[in-house]
Amino acid sequence: MLDQEKGTLRSVAWSELLPWLIIFRCFRLAIRHQMLMLSAVAALLTTSGWALFGYVLSGSPQPGAQVQPAGGNPWLALSGLVPNQPFGTAAAGTKSASLLARESGPVAGLFEPVYGTWAFLARPWQEMFAIGLTWTNLTYLLLCGLWVAVVWAFFGAAVTRMAAVELAAEERIGWGAMLKFARSKWLAFLTAPLMSLLFVLAITVPIAVVSLLLRLGIGVTILGFVWWLLLAGGVVMAILLLGLLFGWPLMWPTIATEGTDGFDAWSRAYSYTFERPLHYLFYAAVAFGFGIVGWLLVANFTAGVVQLTYWAANWGGGAHQIQSIASGAGDTGLGSGLGVWLIRRSVEVVKLLAVGFLFSYFWSASTAIYLLMRRQVDATEMDEVSLDDDDEVAYGLPPLKTDGEGVPTVGDEGAPQDGENGESES
């Protein structure tokens, strides 16, 4: 703000000068207990579904593709991302649970909450386009991809809705409003990213039918003359998939912010991605760097909680027993398998909540980037968000109401009304 009389700069509106600073609000939002719980449950459901499909199709959690939980255990695959000790304190020559979990399964790339989460959720669809897949592999990957869409269409809807209201309107909605919105818009969230795949399928089918000529000697010659037509179809599919690859994280924040349908989310995502690619890349880079720092803080804090608990219990329970419980190997000598099982599951629940940060931050940052891209392309103010009449504010005072002449009222009674004291006051 500039003082007109003296020409002195008294304040700077950083939100106007550097609007991308909104991304730095995503960490505090992502560590809310609602966000962590919803994201952790969704992540566990995702990997559990992948494992189930693998066992049904081939008797193992991985029928020839790379989408599978480590050791066939979805719970351990995720909780193993957080070690028992903070980074840098593990004994030399030993592998942390985090490193072991990264060596196999879909969690191999879940080392940070932006690119890692993006690759994790998109992996079934990416691997589906590999040449040489068997029908079993294709069926498995298709089921895994659809399962991702089904699960996150609800949980992602709830997380992005909370992020949109918080970042744009600076209000906090309660569980009821958040889950009601996710339930009412579930179909829109589900169909938005699938539209591009349906278009790709519509192009793939005729190409596949025509390509049956390749099984005949003369057919190869015929296709050689018209192969450019097939390449034209490939160009269209490449454009569709390129927009989907980078634009799908914007689709769900669109619905959460605007309260619109799947087609509007699909069209906006493609528009923003192709019209402002450098802005999109810059915002994603900022979110990526800040997300790494956030994950290091969350993972180290959680590992510290686990280690300090083991350390304190070590002085009473004995080092051998604690080490056996923590490592999950050997006989503790306690004679209570149930107690050991409960201790380990309690630790894994805490770790799983920490892993939820990877997803809650991803969707929070995606929502912030959507608001920034909308501002760049559509010149829409950052604070514009669609609010339902029955959205419940979880914290803070109810909004101030006024009567027809601007006199403040609270609810339906208890506030000064016109004529109540003989005259109205402004």
Side-chain angles (χ1 to χ4, degrees):
M1 179 181 296
L2 187 65
D3 190 321
Q4 297 294 335
E5 296 182 357
K6 300 181 179 180
T8 303
L9 184 66
R10 297 187 178 278
S11 63
V12 177
W14 291 108
S15 60
E16 294 294 331
L17 185 63
L18 301 173
W20 51 267
L21 291 177
I22 191 177
I23 296 175
F24 293 106
R25 295 172 54 192
C26 294
F27 175 81
R28 185 174 61 180
L29 177 61
I31 59 176
R32 299 262 171 81
H33 68 280
Q34 301 102 316
M35 305 282 271
L36 294 177
M37 291 173 63
L38 288 170
S39 299
V41 170
L44 183 59
L45 286 175
T46 300
T47 52
S48 298
W50 291 355
L52 177 62
F53 298 143
Y55 279 114
V56 170
L57 291 174
S58 66
S60 71
Q62 182 224 5
Q66 294 301 315
V67 181
Q68 91 281 0
N73 190 322
W75 187 288
L76 294 179
L78 293 171
S79 63
L81 289 169
V82 180
N84 287 334
Q85 298 176 336
F87 301 140
T89 62
T94 61
K95 292 184 177 180
S96 66
S98 176
L99 179 60
L100 292 174
R102 293 176 198 169
E103 292 180 342
S104 62
V107 298
L110 263 176
F111 57 89
E112 54 80 32
V114 176
Y115 174 77
T117 304
W118 171 83
F120 174 86
L121 297 176
R123 181 167 296 176
W125 301 108
Q126 290 177 316
E127 294 183 357
M128 193 181 305
F129 293 96
I131 297 176
L133 291 178
T134 66
W135 284 105
T136 300
N137 297 152
L138 180 61
T139 303
Y140 173 67
L141 292 172
L142 181 60
L143 289 174
C144 289
L146 291 175
W147 181 244
V148 170
V150 168
V151 171
W152 288 99
F154 179 80
F155 290 93
V159 172
T160 52
R161 179 58 175 177
M162 182 176 182
V165 175
E166 172 82 9
L167 294 174
E170 297 187 359
E171 294 182 356
R172 302 187 192 181
I173 59 174
W175 282 99
M178 182 169 53
L179 297 178
K180 180 181 179 180
F181 179 87
R183 184 173 62 252
S184 64
K185 292 291 183 179
W186 178 80
L187 188 59
F189 280 89
L190 177 64
T191 56
L194 297 181
M195 289 184 181
S196 296
L197 297 173
L198 292 177
F199 292 144
V200 170
L201 178 62
I203 300 174
T204 301
V205 171
I207 292 178
V209 172
V210 173
S211 298
L212 291 174
L213 294 174
L214 292 175
R215 300 180 181 272
L216 304 175
I218 188 65
V220 178
T221 304
I222 296 174
L223 283 180
F225 287 102
V226 298
W227 193 257
W228 60 273
L229 291 175
L230 276 65
L231 288 175
V235 170
V236 176
M237 288 191 293
I239 294 174
L240 287 170
L241 292 177
L242 182 64
L244 178 63
L245 188 64
F246 293 101
W248 68 265
L250 299 179
M251 294 181 183
W252 291 345
T254 301
I255 303 173
T257 304
E258 313 295 344
T260 185
D261 56 18
F263 180 78
D264 182 64
W266 179 83
S267 60
R268 282 179 186 248
Y270 274 79
S271 174
Y272 295 171
T273 300
F274 288 123
E275 288 191 32
R276 296 290 191 275
L278 295 182
H279 286 84
Y280 192 3
L281 181 62
F282 171 73
Y283 299 146
V286 173
F288 175 83
F290 188 56
I292 291 178
V293 176
W295 171 239
L296 288 176
L297 291 174
V298 171
N300 273 287
F301 178 81
T302 306
V305 170
V306 174
Q307 182 186 17
L308 289 174
T309 304
Y310 282 147
W311 175 81
N314 155 79
W315 296 105
H320 172 72
Q321 285 81 356
I322 295 299
Q323 290 173 355
S324 298
I325 293 174
S327 63
D331 184 11
T332 62
L334 300 179
S336 177
L338 176 60
V340 172
W341 184 88
L342 290 174
I343 293 174
R344 291 173 180 167
R345 297 298 85 78
S346 300
V347 171
E348 289 165 8
V349 167
V350 173
K351 291 183 177 182
L352 190 61
L353 285 175
V355 172
F357 171 81
L358 293 168
F359 299 90
S360 63
Y361 178 85
F362 173 79
W363 290 117
S364 299
S366 297
T367 305
I369 292 174
Y370 167 76
L371 295 175
L372 291 166
M373 294 297 293
R374 185 183 65 169
R375 181 178 182 270
Q376 284 290 331
V377 178
D378 298 334
T380 303
E381 294 298 328
M382 299 276 288
D383 59 356
E384 291 192 18
V385 60
S386 172
L387 295 176
D388 298 332
D389 293 336
D390 56 352
D391 274 343
E392 48 186 89
V393 180
Y395 304 94
L397 295 174
L400 182 65
K401 299 180 180 180
T402 60
D403 63 12
E405 298 184 4
V407 178
T409 64
V410 179
D412 297 327
E413 57 183 5
Q417 303 292 334
D418 287 348
E420 188 172 333
N421 295 319
E423 59 179 4
S424 63
E425 297 180 356
S426 300

